[in-house]
């Protein structure tokens, strides 16, 4: 069960000049309450008009003759990313499954994925009955490394899904070299990295076939759910199109044949959502540039505080700043390394009290999610297929992912709006205030009852299951 971390009042805390008492201890917030987070995605008059025009057109899906918004979005996104083909789909998770399906991934094939990502990255191969094989991450970029990928390759490996986590591109040249040496295609899951560049190329234009999400939480959003696939390979694009619509080959003009050549899904996008995203895309470059300015101004101030490891980008790539992850450094707070987790929990709490919505992003490594760890969802398959090796989850295989989940917190969404600059300056004030009170916070951290996030998650999982299905019911695997 979870132990809720209570913060004892610390007697004798004196107000520091300029910043004052911590809000956690009854002081004034660094972020005034009337400074609100602007809603994301922003909906302008142009966006509204674009959706209304699509509505008035009476053409709502790819199957509506003469529909222009979906092919329009596809052409514009292909041009934006510098790829030959783009295929719009119903969401980013479907985009990954379709991309893998287009590559011909089959049951029992292995697909390498990072241990730190959103669940979709690893669920997508599983929907094809492929086996996700997880690799640990780099402690600075939070991305998978070429060395880790190479170590995970087996004769069954059929694809490598790289995730540009939080908006920072992975080292595509290094991973590409490993992939080429083994003849394995790379799929970019760029759901968090719209517009980011690696060595002058946009993400989504480097792997064999690549994916984006247009979920409302992402840097490029639709008014609901959506996704995009990009590729330079015409055959892969055609296969993705087929998988989007029942395995059918859709003619450019003329009658639909209703012949299903492959097992496809129904993952068509909607024209209204395509119209909305096209309208967002028109101002995306300007907004991304403004976001870059706003976020860098925050990060410059946080990076000056020795207690925090702020995100950044190596010289050869840009960061889309989808999520801002900060690690805490226990040594800088005068604490032993084993107190990294309690320190993070304390600092997170202090920042939240100041008005900064610091929160965890992922409570556990992906391979620890029950669906993988307990082989759930497809009646024990694909793991029960002949020849699939046993790979029990072992905490020690993912030391960096565990450490990062323990000692870092994230800022999401609040910084996406291009008008967030002034708000982010108040966030920087809060970080500085928290750092000034580091001795107080170190004292709190050292006395804090602490449960690791993945243990908390296990408690939450059990409680939720019992609430839904009754205490004592077996958590069946479906087998
Ligand atoms: C959001 C996200 C997805 C899934 O996108 P949906 O549109 O929500 O299905 C996949 N991968 C990553 C890394 C994501 O952040």
């Amino acid at each position: 069960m979870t132990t809720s971390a209570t913060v004892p009042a610390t007697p004798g805390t004196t107000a520091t000049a300029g910043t004052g008492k911590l809000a956690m201890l009854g002081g004034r917030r660094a972020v005034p309450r009337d400074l609100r987070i602007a809603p994301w995605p922003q909906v302008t008059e142009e966006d509204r008009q674009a959706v209304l025009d699509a509505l008035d057109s009476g053409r709502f899906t790819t199957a509506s003759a003469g529909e222009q918004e979906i092919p329009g979005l596809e052409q514009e996104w292909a041009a934006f990313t510098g790829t030959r083909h783009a295929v719009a789909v119903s969401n980013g998770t479907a985009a990954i499954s379709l991309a893998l399906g287009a590559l011909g991934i089959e049951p029992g094939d292995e697909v390498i994925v990072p241990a730190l990502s959103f669940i979709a990255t690893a669920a997508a191969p599983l929907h094809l009955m492929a086996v996700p094989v997880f690799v640990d991450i780099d402690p600075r970029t939070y991305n998978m490394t070429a060395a880790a990928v190479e170590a995970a390759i087996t004769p069954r490996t059929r694809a490598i899904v790289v995730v540009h986590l939080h908006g920072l591109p992975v080292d595509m040249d290094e991973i590409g070299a490993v992939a080429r040496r083994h003849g394995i295609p790379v799929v970019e899951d760029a759901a968090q990295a719209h517009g980011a560049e690696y060595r002058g190329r946009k993400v989504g234009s480097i792997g064999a076939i690549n994916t984006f999400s247009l979920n409302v939480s992402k840097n490029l959003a639709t008014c609901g759910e959506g996704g995009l696939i990009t590729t330079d390979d015409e055959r892969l694009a055609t296969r993705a199109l087929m998988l989007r619509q029942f395995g059918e080959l859709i003619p450019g003009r003329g009658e639909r044949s209703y012949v299903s050549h492959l097992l496809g899904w129904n993952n068509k996008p909607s024209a209204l959502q395509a119209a909305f995203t096209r309208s967002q895309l028109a101002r995306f470059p300007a907004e991304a540039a403004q976001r870059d300015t706003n976020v860098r101004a925050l990060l410059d101030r946080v990076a000056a505080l020795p207690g925090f490891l702020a995100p950044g980008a190596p010289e050869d790539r840009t960061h889309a700043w989808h999520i801002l992850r900060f690690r805490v450094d226990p040594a800088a707070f005068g604490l032993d390394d084993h107190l990294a987790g309690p320190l993070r929990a304390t600092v997170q709490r202090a920042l939240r009290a100041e008005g900064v919505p610091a929160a965890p992003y992922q409570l556990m490594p992906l391979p620890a999610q029950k669906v993988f760890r307990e082989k759930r969802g497809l009646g024990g398959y694909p793991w029960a297929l002949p020849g699939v090796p046993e790979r029990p989850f072992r905490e020690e295989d993912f030391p960096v992912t565990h450490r990062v989940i323990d000692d870092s917190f994230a800022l999401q969404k609040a910084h996406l709006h291009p008008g967030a600059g002034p708000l982010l300056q108040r966030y920087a004030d809060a970080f500085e205030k928290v750092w000034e009170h580091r001795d107080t916070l170190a004292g709190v951290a050292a006395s804090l009852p602490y449960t690791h996030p993945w243990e908390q998650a296990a408690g939450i999982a059990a409680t939720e299951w019992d609430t839904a299905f009754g205490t004592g019911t077996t958590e069946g695997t479906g087998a």
Side-chain angles (χ1 to χ4, degrees):
M1 283 309 301
T2 59
T3 318
S4 68
T6 48
V7 178
T10 311
T13 313
T14 50
T16 310
T19 56
K21 196 172 171 186
L22 285 168
M24 187 173 90
L25 302 175
R28 220 174 25 173
R29 283 165 46 127
V31 185
R33 278 185 199 280
D34 57 1
L35 247 191
R36 299 217 177 276
I37 296 172
W40 185 260
Q42 205 181 353
V43 182
T44 65
E45 201 40 51
E46 288 77 36
D47 301 335
R48 227 171 259 124
Q49 198 53 53
V51 173
L52 283 175
D53 289 348
L55 191 60
D56 290 341
S57 79
R59 302 184 179 102
F60 303 141
T61 78
T62 48
S64 314
E67 198 291 305
Q68 292 302 315
E69 296 296 341
I70 294 162
L73 174 62
E74 291 171 339
Q75 281 154 24
E76 286 162 13
W77 190 246
F80 179 82
T81 54
T83 50
R84 290 211 185 86
H85 309 278
V87 176
V89 295
S90 53
N91 60 69
T93 310
I96 304 169
S97 285
L98 265 58
L100 292 171
L103 285 170
I105 301 302
E106 292 185 346
D109 289 349
E110 290 180 354
V111 176
I112 294 176
V113 297
L116 188 64
S117 182
F118 182 61
I119 186 85
T121 309
L126 200 53
H127 283 298
L128 294 156
M129 285 251 280
V131 180
V133 173
F134 299 92
V135 299
D136 206 6
I137 56 159
D138 177 83
R140 196 73 187 82
T141 64
Y142 313 129
N143 284 330
M144 59 209 257
T145 62
V149 168
E150 182 136 51
I153 290 174
T154 77
R156 305 177 73 98
T157 310
R158 293 287 176 274
I160 300 163
V161 180
V162 300
V163 177
H164 307 303
L165 197 72
H166 303 342
L168 179 66
V170 307
D171 196 325
M172 290 302 293
D173 283 352
E174 280 189 13
I175 290 182
V178 169
R180 260 191 311 283
R181 200 150 63 237
H182 295 269
I184 301 166
V186 173
V187 175
E188 296 173 66
D189 173 355
Q192 302 191 358
H194 309 77
E197 290 183 12
Y198 172 80
R199 300 190 176 162
R201 300 172 70 181
K202 287 251 176 19
V203 298
S205 71
I206 308 170
I209 180 165
N210 313 303
T211 67
F212 295 85
S213 166
L214 299 174
N215 181 270
V216 285
S217 63
K218 311 295 184 182
N219 287 22
L220 179 67
T222 188
C223 47
E225 305 277 348
L228 285 156
I229 298 171
T230 49
T231 181
D232 282 335
D233 185 321
E234 184 165 4
R235 292 171 68 89
L236 290 178
T238 301
R239 285 177 60 96
L241 279 169
M242 293 170 80
L243 295 174
R244 174 174 89 174
Q245 187 170 328
F246 309 113
E248 298 172 37
L249 273 163
I250 308 297
R253 48 181 64 229
E255 295 280 300
R256 180 176 164 191
S257 71
Y258 289 96
V259 172
S260 288
H261 301 268
L262 301 168
L263 173 58
W265 287 269
N266 180 9
N267 284 135
K268 298 192 296 295
S270 117
L272 304 190
Q273 293 184 338
F276 182 87
T277 300
R278 286 181 85 184
S279 182
Q280 299 268 319
L281 181 55
R283 58 178 192 271
F284 180 85
E287 290 193 351
Q290 185 60 52
R291 184 181 305 125
D292 189 66
T293 303
N294 298 343
V295 168
R296 281 179 189 280
L298 162 69
L299 297 181
D300 284 349
R301 287 178 62 189
V302 178
L305 312 172
F308 297 96
L309 189 61
E315 292 274 291
D316 62 352
R317 63 203 88 168
T318 65
H319 201 307
W321 310 124
H322 175 58
I323 288 172
L324 309 178
R325 183 183 287 276
F326 300 87
R327 298 182 68 191
V328 297
D329 177 5
F333 281 80
L335 290 173
D336 277 1
D337 201 56
H338 76 274
L339 289 169
L343 175 63
R344 187 268 313 152
T346 306
V347 165
Q348 186 177 306
R349 199 159 242 260
L351 283 170
R352 290 184 72 89
E354 299 297 339
V356 179
Y361 177 83
Q362 300 302 317
L363 296 171
M364 67 182 104
L366 287 186
Q369 291 276 4
K370 287 183 178 219
V371 57
F372 311 115
R373 187 179 190 157
E374 298 176 12
K375 303 185 167 76
R376 293 181 175 208
L378 290 161
Y381 291 93
W383 300 279
L385 287 167
V388 172
E390 274 290 324
R391 275 197 196 80
F393 171 74
R394 299 187 313 167
E395 209 171 298
E396 61 268 33
D397 290 340
F398 307 98
V400 182
T401 303
H402 280 96
R403 173 64 192 229
V404 165
I405 287 172
D406 211 27
D407 76 7
S408 68
F409 56 85
L411 296 184
Q412 291 190 67
K413 253 191 146 178
H415 63 282
L416 293 184
H417 194 288
L423 179 72
L424 299 192
Q425 284 302 305
R426 299 293 78 75
Y427 286 6
D429 294 345
F431 274 88
E432 287 170 1
K433 183 176 171 188
V434 162
W435 174 242
E436 282 188 36
H437 290 274
R438 57 188 168 278
D439 293 341
T440 304
L441 294 172
V444 173
S447 62
L448 191 72
Y450 183 68
T451 314
H452 294 295
W454 48 93
E455 291 161 348
Q456 282 188 25
I460 294 167
T463 309
E464 284 180 349
W465 185 277
D466 288 351
T467 306
F469 300 110
T471 313
T473 56
T474 51
E475 303 186 21
T477 59

